[in-house]
Every structure is written in structure tokens, then in C-alpha cells.
Amino acid sequence: MRFFSVSSPHLPPINSVPLMMRRVLYALLPGTALMALFFGYGVLLNLLLAIIAAVAGEALMLVLRRRPVGLFLGDYSALVTAALLALALPPLAPWWLTVLGTLFAIVLGKHLYGGLGYNPFNPAMVGYVILLISFPREMTLWPAPAPLLAEPLGLAEIWRGVFGGGITATGRSLDALSMATPLDHVGIELGLERPLGAIKQDAVFGVLGGVGWLWINLAFLAGGLWLVYKKVIAWQIPTGMLGSLGALAALGWALAPDTQPGVLFHVLSGGIMLGAFFIATDPVSAATTPRGRLIYGAGIGALIFIIRSWGGYPDGIAFGVLLMNMAAPLIDYYNKPRVYGH
């Protein structure tokens, strides 16, 4: 008598690629909604442009590489890349900047390395850094958050600004509508030797961080914790990143309270939660061993603190992620889990 037998694995996978990518998109919704609430329709325009460019770029590259278009477009990875890049871009960025950055991410960051599963760098951050280095002025066009605007920006005005060469429907230039982010503001004012206590009294700051950014970061934190609960991402990378950034910020504040803003400002300003839970946790380009993930995340947090404190850019999430992407294979090599019995 012969028994029916099958080879391993004997348990079905918990997460498929399309399911994981869809859950990442769902988890981005609360933070995206709050970004649109504080920074206006430009956030949604960026998302729409990036998604269109990502789908078109992905389809074109799949055709050129003679891969099944429908199968790979259906894994939603291009949409995740588009969403992460769009949320990192200024809401008043001209349309071509969003399209160009998305194509850089899909073509250079993903397909030239062989597509999903083979990219050594986070594609969205590849696109972002290329834009940041190539078009520094356009990458600073962040509007003032809604509570600081005397007159909210309407959809028609933003549309004309994004598609009309930088001039809005009321004749104002986008430069006139933009303002420094809290991280920019601190760096500029410290350079002018204003005391940190006086800087924190400026209108751009709220109770714990920049106006609006506190709630946006909390919303991305909620979405990220849901991803951890659903086992889409591992807890080690966000913990390592936020832990090292917080520890270094606390040490810096203890040693130089007149120039270091402190833990809560670092953790709740900029795109830290978006970076910790959605960008640094890319399953392809990040470390994959349990201890390696902690080291990888801690390295990103340390690089962010160094760049914010002494670098030429106000934030360092993209550079931190890409630099640690390079180190991820080495980290995993020296942190392999011990095989039972050896």
C-alpha cells in the first residue's frame, strides 16, 4: 500500500507578494490622509502622477524584457514604490519632477538590476536621491501647513502651480507659497547663531515637533504597527532605527542642549515614521537575519542623526537607507542564525 506524500513546504505561505504590497498600501492611507489635510491637494496630485508614471514605466520595461506584463503589474510593487516616492516629495513639486523621479526609481532602481527581488537598493529612495541631487530647489517646495496659511490653497490654484510652470491661478509663484520645513528651519536658524530656545518659539513649531508633522508621524506609526501585527514587516528594523536615533538625540541634547533639539523633535519631525516602517523595511534591499535587521536599522538611525546634525541636507533618511542597503549583505553574512546542533 502506498501513502500519498508531498514534498516541503507543508504549510502554505502566510503572505504572498500581492497581499503584502496591498497591505502596505492600506497602511499608508492614514498618514496620506493627514498629509493631504495639512499640505493640501498637492499630496494627492503627486500620488496620481507617480502611480501613472510607475505603471507606464513598469509596463514598458516588462515589454522590453519580454516578461508577462499582467502578472508583474499585479504584484502591486510598482504602486508601493510610486506611493513611497510621492509621499516623500514636496506637494508643490512641478509635475515633471514627480514623473522623472518615478521613472528613475522603476527603471534604474528596479529593472536594470533584474526587477523585483533583485534590486540591491530601495527603488523609491534611488529616485528620491537622484532628484535631490539634481534639482535641489524644486525639492524644497513644501507649502506652509494649513494652520499657518491665511488662505488655504485650492485645487485649481495648486493645479496651475504644478502644471503651469510654477505660477498659480492667482499669479503667485510657488516660491512665495513655500516655506522651510521644521528641520530646514532649525538648521538655518542655528547657522545664524540663534539660540535653540528662541527658534522653538517660531510659528512653524508645535508642542512636540513641527506643526502638522506630529500627527502625520503618529498616523504613519499606526499604519506601521498594523503591518508588524500582520507580520508584513519585522519589528527589528523600526526598533533599531528609532532606538538608535532616539539614543543619539538624547546624548546630543545632554551634551549640547543649545544646539540639539532633543529626542521628540527628531522622532516626530520629517518623515521618520514613514522611513522606519515603510521605507527601511523593504524586504529585498534590507537585512534579513533577526540580529542583522536590528544592526541595519540602528545604522540608518545613526546616519540620520549625523546628517541632520552636521550634514548639508536637513534630513538623511534616503541617504541612510541607501548606505545601509550597501552594507546589508555583509551584515547578514556575519549575523547568520546558528544552525541547531552546530
Side-chain angles (χ1 to χ4, degrees):
M1 179 178 179
R2 300 186 61 182
F3 294 97
F4 174 74
S5 62
V6 294
S7 61
S8 61
H10 302 290
L11 295 176
I14 298 174
N15 284 317
S16 64
V17 172
L19 178 60
M20 290 174 63
M21 296 296 170
R22 283 202 307 272
R23 284 178 169 169
V24 171
L25 293 172
Y26 299 154
L28 285 170
L29 289 177
T32 303
L34 282 184
M35 279 194 74
L37 181 66
F38 281 104
F39 292 107
Y41 295 106
V43 175
L44 305 180
L45 272 180
N46 276 353
L47 275 172
L48 180 62
L49 287 169
I51 288 172
I52 293 172
V55 171
E58 179 100 336
L60 176 62
M61 291 305 297
L62 289 170
V63 170
L64 292 175
R65 295 178 57 217
R66 299 180 181 179
R67 297 289 194 275
V69 176
L71 176 65
F72 287 102
L73 278 180
D75 65 18
Y76 300 98
S77 61
L79 298 187
V80 170
T81 298
L84 294 178
L85 178 63
L87 293 173
L89 295 178
L92 294 179
W95 67 270
W96 53 264
L97 190 81
T98 307
V99 172
L100 198 60
T102 307
L103 293 178
F104 278 137
I106 295 294
V107 177
L108 295 181
K110 183 177 177 182
H111 280 282
L112 290 190
Y113 288 102
L116 182 65
Y118 297 95
N119 50 290
F121 301 102
N122 185 304
M125 292 300 97
V126 170
Y128 181 86
V129 166
I130 292 175
L131 293 180
L132 187 64
I133 294 173
S134 305
F135 309 100
R137 190 187 74 83
E138 286 78 6
M139 291 293 282
T140 62
L141 293 175
W142 282 89
L148 300 183
L149 282 175
E151 182 182 349
L153 297 175
L155 177 59
E157 189 164 30
I158 292 177
W159 182 278
R160 280 286 302 275
V162 171
F163 291 98
I167 304 298
T168 69
T170 55
R172 292 184 289 179
S173 71
L174 293 184
D175 284 333
L177 297 173
S178 62
M179 68 178 295
T181 64
L183 290 169
D184 268 324
H185 188 72
V186 167
I188 294 170
E189 296 299 319
L190 284 176
L192 298 174
E193 299 186 353
R194 280 187 68 198
L196 188 59
I199 297 172
K200 285 188 173 180
Q201 301 302 316
D202 293 344
V204 71
F205 290 98
V207 178
L208 299 176
V211 172
W213 288 103
L214 165 65
W215 301 109
I216 292 169
N217 272 296
L218 290 178
F220 281 126
L221 171 63
L225 292 176
W226 181 73
L227 290 180
V228 175
Y229 172 72
K230 287 293 185 181
K231 300 187 185 305
V232 175
I233 62 173
W235 60 269
Q236 290 96 339
I237 292 176
T239 303
M241 177 176 156
L242 296 176
S244 70
L245 177 62
L248 289 172
L251 179 63
W253 181 79
L255 296 176
D258 292 334
T259 57
Q260 290 294 336
V263 177
L264 291 178
F265 177 81
H266 273 288
V267 172
L268 297 175
S269 294
I272 282 296
M273 296 300 171
L274 179 67
F277 288 93
F278 295 90
I279 295 174
T281 52
D282 175 25
V284 178
S285 57
T288 55
T289 58
R291 189 167 58 187
R293 286 171 176 155
L294 273 173
I295 297 171
Y296 171 85
I300 295 174
L303 287 168
I304 291 171
F305 178 77
I306 291 169
I307 293 172
R308 281 183 173 184
S309 299
W310 301 289
Y313 293 95
D315 209 344
I317 296 173
F319 291 109
V321 168
L322 293 181
L323 288 171
M324 290 308 294
N325 283 164
M326 287 193 289
L330 185 68
I331 293 172
D332 279 338
Y333 179 82
Y334 285 106
N335 290 280
K336 293 176 183 174
R338 187 172 65 88
V339 177
Y340 183 73
H342 291 266

